[in-house]
């Protein structure tokens, strides 16, 4: 593969520096760079571990690079209470989607002293939900560590053009179509009217929820809150898969796990489809990404994978419906089609440029933004800044 000058510099820097950062927007070739760095380091005799915060992101980089990759928690041997791995000495660690990693988790990597640490990500995406934003802060405070990829190799595609405009604070078009992508913005009105429209599309079969997703800003306080995760998921199952008051899940439901479950190799954010519900209430989930089958794995270096996981009585409470998700929960994932709903009610607390950009870049083929389009324009102009201790210490040092 031929690399441009910026990509070549990024590869060289990552392969020679103890700490390096690779940044770039969607379509700039970050995953290809990870593959090239991995191949060059291994050719030089180094041991390389690929990791990402989210399971889907780890699976994507594993597939793209044809190299083992795991969640950071699995890499560090997290057992539900502590990280059991003693050291990363002699290991070069490459972390994809690094914008998702909070300060505490990055510290767990750093204190194990890897031979090399390469952080790869897009600083225009959302900062971590947890403490700090080390990826974003390091870019600002240590520009000498940063290699920025600036050329978009999917620049002619419709969604990427719209996403690039949003990332730069500009205005995306109302509609655009290219050979591989479609972008649409539709003013469907407030939350109640928009939810009614979404349900019409759902009932008409417009979504394949094993490939498509509806994204919103907030979880909601109750099932009655329209165009929230709770409100949409309740309305969708009532429309396409009704159940009695005692039954939470039906076969075929889309679900998400919301707790790290290392004994199952299932992590917070793992999604899948309910395959079966046992008589005793256990729920079999066909996960979107394979997980390690610990019952058949004899050697951790040669894991046996499965995509069917049993959530028993003690684990099923960690499953939630996932026809609709927050943008935060979708981060690290990719979908065939994304429908994202935006409202003025959310601009005052959650909806900003980073959230909008992160949401629309989850798509592979088509993205439709619905709701109140005034909220979209307001969100693009709204750039939030997370204050962190790293920033405060840097400011104190400069003073």
């Amino acid at each position: 593969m031929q690399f441009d000058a910026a990509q070549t510099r990024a590869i060289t820097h990552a392969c020679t520096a103890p700490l390096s950062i690779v940044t770039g927007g969607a379509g700039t070739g970050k995953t290809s760079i990870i593959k090239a760095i991995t191949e060059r380091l291994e050719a030089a005799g180094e041991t390389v571990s690929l990791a990402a915060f989210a399971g889907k992101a780890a699976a994507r980089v594993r597939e793209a690079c044809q190299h083992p990759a795991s969640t950071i928690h699995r890499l560090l041997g997290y057992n539900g209470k502590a990280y059991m791995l003693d050291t990363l000495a002699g290991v070069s660690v490459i972390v994809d989607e690094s914008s998702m990693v909070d300060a505490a988790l990055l510290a767990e990597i750093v204190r194990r002293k890897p031979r090399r640490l390469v952080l790869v990500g897009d600083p225009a995406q959302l900062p971590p939900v947890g403490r700090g934003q080390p990826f974003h802060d390091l870019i600002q405070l240590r520009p000498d560590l940063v290699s920025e990829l600036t050329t978009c190799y999917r620049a002619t595609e419709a969604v990427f053009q719209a996403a690039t405009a949003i990332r730069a604070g500009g205005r995306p078009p109302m509609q655009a179509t290219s050979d591989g992508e479609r972008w649409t913005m539709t003013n469907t009105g407030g939350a109640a009217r928009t939810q009614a429209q979404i349900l019409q599309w759902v009932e008409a079969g417009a979504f394949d929820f094993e490939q498509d997703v509806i994204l919103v800003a907030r979880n909601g306080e109750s099932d009655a809150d329209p165009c929230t995760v709770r409100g949409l998921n309740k309305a969708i199952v009532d429309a396409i898969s009704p159940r009695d008051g005692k039954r939470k899940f039906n076969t075929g439901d889309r679900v998400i796990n919301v707790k790290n479950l290392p004994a199952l190799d299932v992590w917070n954010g793992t999604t899948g489809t309910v395959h079966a519900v046992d008589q005793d209430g256990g729920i079999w989930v066909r996960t979107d990404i394979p997980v390690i089958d610990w019952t058949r794995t004899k050697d951790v270096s040669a894991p046996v994978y499965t995509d069917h996981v049993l959530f028993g009585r003690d684990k099923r409470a960690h499953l939630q419906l996932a026809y609709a998700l927050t943008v935060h929960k979708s981060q690290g994932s990719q979908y065939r089609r994304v429908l994202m709903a935006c409202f003025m009610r959310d601009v005052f607390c959650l909806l900003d440029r980073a959230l909008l950009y992160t949401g629309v870049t989850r798509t592979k083929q088509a993205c439709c933004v619905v709701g109140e389009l005034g909220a979209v324009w307001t969100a693009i102009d709204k750039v939030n800044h997370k204050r962190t201790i790293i920033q405060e210490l840097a400011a104190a040092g400069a003073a």
Side-chain angles (χ1 to χ4, degrees), residues 143-216:
D144 55 302
L145 301 176
V146 180
S147 298
E148 183 179 7
L149 309 180
T150 56
T151 302
C152 179
Y153 290 93
R154 299 179 66 182
T156 60
E157 297 287 5
V159 174
F160 277 85
Q161 288 181 340
T164 299
I166 292 169
R167 191 178 193 269
R171 298 295 187 259
M174 292 297 292
Q175 294 186 356
T177 302
S178 59
D179 289 341
E181 297 180 357
R182 186 172 73 254
W183 166 266
T184 307
M185 298 179 66
T186 303
N187 191 18
T188 53
R193 285 181 56 190
T194 296
Q195 179 160 302
Q197 177 62 72
I198 291 173
L199 290 176
Q200 288 183 26
W201 289 330
V202 169
E203 291 170 343
F207 297 94
D208 174 357
F209 283 106
E210 292 200 0
Q211 302 183 79
D212 309 330
V213 73
I214 300 169
L215 298 181
V216 294

Side-chain angles (χ1 to χ4, degrees), residues 1 3 29 41 51 56 86 90-91 110 113 130 193 201 218 245-246 280 296 301 334 340 356-358 372 385:
M1 181 175 179
F3 295 106
L41 289 176
K56 276 194 174 181
D86 290 329
V91 180
V110 172
K113 299 181 179 179
R193 285 181 56 190
W201 289 330
R218 62 171 69 184
K246 297 179 181 179
D280 64 356
R296 294 190 296 152
S301 65
Q334 293 263 270
M340 184 168 177
L356 178 64
Y357 173 76
T358 302
E372 298 167 326
H385 298 283

Side-chain angles (χ1 to χ4, degrees), residues 57-375:
R60 191 172 66 249
V61 75
R62 179 170 64 233
E63 181 180 0
C65 297
Q66 294 297 295
H67 187 283
S70 71
T71 63
I72 298 171
H73 288 80
R74 188 201 295 166
L75 171 70
L76 298 178
Y78 186 65
N79 66 2
K81 296 181 179 179
Y83 299 97
M84 304 306 293
L85 182 71
D86 290 329
T87 182
L88 285 165
V91 180
S92 293
V93 177
I94 305 175
V95 180
D96 194 20
E97 299 279 4
S98 293
S99 63
M100 299 177 67
V101 182
D102 67 18
L105 189 54
L106 185 60
E108 295 291 346
I109 299 174
V110 172
R111 66 166 52 107
R112 285 164 175 79
K113 299 181 179 179
R115 177 175 183 173
R116 246 178 260 289
L117 178 58
V118 184
L119 304 177
V120 182
D122 184 349
Q125 290 191 20
L126 287 166
V129 174
R131 290 171 287 178
Q133 51 172 29
F135 181 71
H136 299 75
D137 287 348
L138 283 169
I139 290 170
Q140 295 299 317
L141 298 174
R142 291 293 306 273
D144 55 302
L145 301 176
V146 180
S147 298
E148 183 179 7
L149 309 180
T150 56
T151 302
C152 179
Y153 290 93
R154 299 179 66 182
T156 60
E157 297 287 5
V159 174
F160 277 85
Q161 288 181 340
T164 299
I166 292 169
R167 191 178 193 269
R171 298 295 187 259
M174 292 297 292
Q175 294 186 356
T177 302
S178 59
D179 289 341
E181 297 180 357
R182 186 172 73 254
W183 166 266
T184 307
M185 298 179 66
T186 303
N187 191 18
T188 53
R193 285 181 56 190
T194 296
Q195 179 160 302
Q197 177 62 72
I198 291 173
L199 290 176
Q200 288 183 26
W201 289 330
V202 169
E203 291 170 343
F207 297 94
D208 174 357
F209 283 106
E210 292 200 0
Q211 302 183 79
D212 309 330
V213 73
I214 300 169
L215 298 181
V216 294
R218 62 171 69 184
N219 281 302
E221 298 297 324
S222 76
D223 293 346
D225 290 342
C227 276
T228 62
V229 167
R230 291 186 60 176
L232 274 167
N233 281 323
K234 178 64 164 60
I236 288 170
V237 297
D238 285 350
I240 65 174
S241 183
R243 68 279 323 262
D244 61 42
K246 297 179 181 179
R247 191 178 182 93
K248 186 175 181 180
F249 299 110
N250 279 349
T251 300
D253 274 342
R254 291 292 294 167
V255 291
I256 183 170
N257 170 66
V258 295
K259 184 178 176 63
N260 288 325
L261 303 173
L264 299 178
D265 191 38
V266 171
W267 309 94
N268 185 356
T270 297
T271 53
T273 301
V274 174
H275 177 70
V277 180
D278 289 347
Q279 289 185 342
D280 64 356
I283 298 171
W284 284 94
V285 175
R286 185 176 70 253
T287 56
D288 292 338
I289 58 172
V291 301
I292 295 177
D293 184 346
W294 292 116
T295 64
R296 294 190 296 152
T297 296
K298 306 303 181 185
D299 182 356
V300 177
S301 65
V304 178
Y305 289 93
T306 181
D307 61 359
H308 283 71
V309 178
L310 175 61
F311 288 77
R313 284 182 172 273
D314 60 332
K315 303 288 194 303
R316 66 187 184 187
H318 306 310
L319 293 175
Q320 298 177 2
L321 291 168
Y323 297 93
L325 295 173
T326 62
V327 175
H328 283 89
K329 283 297 186 186
S330 76
Q331 203 170 359
S333 299
Q334 293 263 270
Y335 303 89
R336 182 185 66 167
R337 297 172 183 161
V338 168
L339 184 143
M340 184 168 177
C342 301
F343 305 99
M344 288 302 299
R345 70 179 186 194
D346 300 324
V347 169
F348 303 106
C349 55
L350 292 166
L351 183 59
D352 61 7
R353 186 189 301 174
L355 188 130
L356 178 64
Y357 173 76
T358 302
V360 303
T361 53
R362 298 309 90 204
T363 190
K364 296 178 182 178
Q365 295 182 14
C367 182
C368 180
V369 177
V370 298
E372 298 167 326
L373 295 190

